[in-house]
């Protein structure tokens, strides 16, 4: 596809340098191309013998630098033959049109990049499996790749469960809430490089829940929210057990997100395939291979955190991306935190301060159902399970998703 259309997608081909980078010794300053030896004693007066601007090619026969000579040169222009350094214009005085005075000494190799120093022709620039962000787009563009091969996006089904949920354009009854998780999850899926398929809301009833799960298993990955805790009407795990699912984990020692489950249904699970549907009627067929699912807890913040920790890497893997380690930068805590031990905690916080002065402070929140707190936060502070108290001034790990 067109290079820019590939933004956010994963390369299915590797991209190599089509020529040396740079393809000529490139000046990195405006100034004068000289022989460094001529600047050993300053001030030094040199004879001005030519000019090269970006885009010019200095033919060695007509534009070269010998001892006692200088050629005016602009950033991005090729270094003329004979020159081994560029003196910045700020360190010179122009005497006449024919001579220039150097006021500072310079060493050979300064202020230009030798040919091929960034990459040699044929050298790998971007490997297959690399996600195309703006820097990768620039690299591909400079290697002349106006079209790129990318992997297709995995289809990720999003299924919210709960009798209390209504669609966001409906008016909720007194005990009902809007199904925001389907939207946050669809957005997270899209950001992670997947194609979100939002399914209808599943009630807390075995039959309809099972039907929607089977529909979701037709996708490359199924994400459910809600119904995975210990309540009487939390039926997600039970339905997967009926479907003979394999569970890789049921629960994680984290907060928010403790009840998260991860599993797969085998090739013999009958899935509802829209591809096989005739006149709109769903048909049950066998999935060609294992289909993975995550049961994410329904509290909106738990859903978001568990998506990022567990489902995002899975979507990245399904989209052909080389797995990336999770990154936890650090900032200095502004005020003391007290909490309970036992779980690794992710607490919404505001990161502020610039450069080396990164500071972080928790936002006030009512727990993992408090979606409004997220509007005040831009990160999470990560608290290890063995810490009851963290003092102001300590450097703490952050989760930036
Ligand atoms: P559950 O995990 O089903 O026990 O739900 C935990 C909490 O999250 C409950 O307060 C639910 O009402 C809420 N919740 C569950 N699903 C959603 C959803 N799709 N959108 C917003 N809130 C939800
Ligand atoms: Mg529920």
């Amino acid at each position: 596809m067109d290079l820019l259309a590939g933004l956010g997608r994963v390369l299915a081909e590797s991209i190599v340098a089509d020529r040396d980078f740079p393809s000529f010794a490139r000046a990195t300053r405006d100034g004068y191309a000289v022989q460094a030896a001529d600047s050993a004693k300053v001030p030094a007066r040199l004879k001005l013998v030519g000019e090269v601007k970006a885009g010019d090619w200095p033919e060695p026969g007509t534009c070269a630098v010998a001892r006692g000579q200088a050629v005016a040169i602009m950033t991005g222009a090729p270094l003329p033959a004979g020159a081994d350094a560029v003196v910045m214009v700020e360190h010179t005085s122009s005497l006449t049109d024919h001579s220039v005075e150097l006021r500072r000494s310079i060493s050979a190799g300064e202020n230009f990049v030798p040919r091929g120093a960034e990459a040699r022709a044929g050298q790998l620039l971007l490997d297959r499996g690399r996600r195309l962000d703006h820097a990768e787009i620039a690299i591909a563009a400079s290697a002349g790749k106006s079209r790129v091969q990318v992997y297709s996006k995995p289809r990720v089904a999003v299924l919210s469960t709960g009798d209390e949920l209504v669609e966001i354009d409906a008016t909720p009854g007194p005990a009902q809430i809007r199904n925001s998780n389907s939207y946050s999850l669809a957005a997270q899926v899209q950001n992670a490089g997947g194609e979100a398929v939002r399914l209808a809301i599943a009630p807390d009833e075995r039959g309809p829940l099972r039907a929607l799960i089977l529909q979701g298993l037709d996708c490359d990955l199924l994400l459910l929210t809600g119904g995975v805790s210990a309540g009487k009407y939390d039926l997600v795990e039970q339905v997967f057990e009926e479907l003979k699912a394999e569970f890789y984990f049921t629960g994680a020692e984290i907060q928010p997100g403790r009840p998260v489950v991860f599993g797969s249904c085998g090739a013999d699970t009958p899935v509802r395939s829209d591809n096989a549907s005739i006149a709109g009627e769903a048909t049950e067929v066998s999935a060609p291979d294992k289909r993975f699912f995550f049961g994410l807890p329904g509290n909106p913040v738990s859903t978001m955190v568990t998506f990022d920790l567990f489902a995002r890497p899975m979507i990245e893997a399904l989209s052909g991306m080389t797995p990336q380690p999770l990154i936890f930068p650090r900032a200095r805590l502004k005020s003391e935190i007290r909490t309970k031990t036992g779980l690794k905690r992710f607490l919404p916080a505001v990161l502020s301060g610039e450069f080396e002065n990164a500071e972080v402070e928790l936002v006030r929140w009512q727990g993992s159902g408090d979606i409004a707190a997220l509007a005040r936060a831009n990160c999470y502070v990560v608290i290890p399970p063995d810490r009851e108290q963290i003092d102001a001034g300590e450097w703490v790990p952050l989760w930036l998703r």
Side-chain angles (χ1 to χ4, degrees), residues 161-162 164 204 227 234:
T161 75
E164 74 279 33
D204 294 319
D234 289 328

Side-chain angles (χ1 to χ4, degrees), residues 328-331 380-384 395-399:
F328 300 91
R330 279 168 192 264
Y380 299 90
V381 169
V382 185
I383 316 244
W395 286 81
V396 289
L398 306 181
W399 174 240

Side-chain angles (χ1 to χ4, degrees), residues 307-354:
F307 174 91
D308 269 332
L309 287 175
F310 302 107
R312 171 185 283 270
M314 184 78 189
I315 293 172
E316 289 175 349
L318 288 170
S319 56
M321 196 171 140
T322 308
Q324 299 297 307
L326 304 179
I327 293 171
F328 300 91
R330 279 168 192 264
R332 201 185 287 279
L333 195 60
K334 267 182 163 175
S335 1
E336 172 198 85
I337 298 178
R338 283 172 183 276
T339 179
K340 293 194 204 94
T341 56
L343 298 173
K344 189 186 286 294
R345 289 173 206 274
F346 297 81
L347 303 178
V350 189
L351 173 64
S352 60
E354 290 183 327

Side-chain angles (χ1 to χ4, degrees), residues 24-30 73-79 86 111-113:
F24 51 85
R26 184 186 67 218
T28 57
R29 304 282 184 197
D30 295 314
I73 192 164
M74 316 302 147
T75 300
L79 199 70
V86 173
N111 298 332
F112 74 93
V113 181

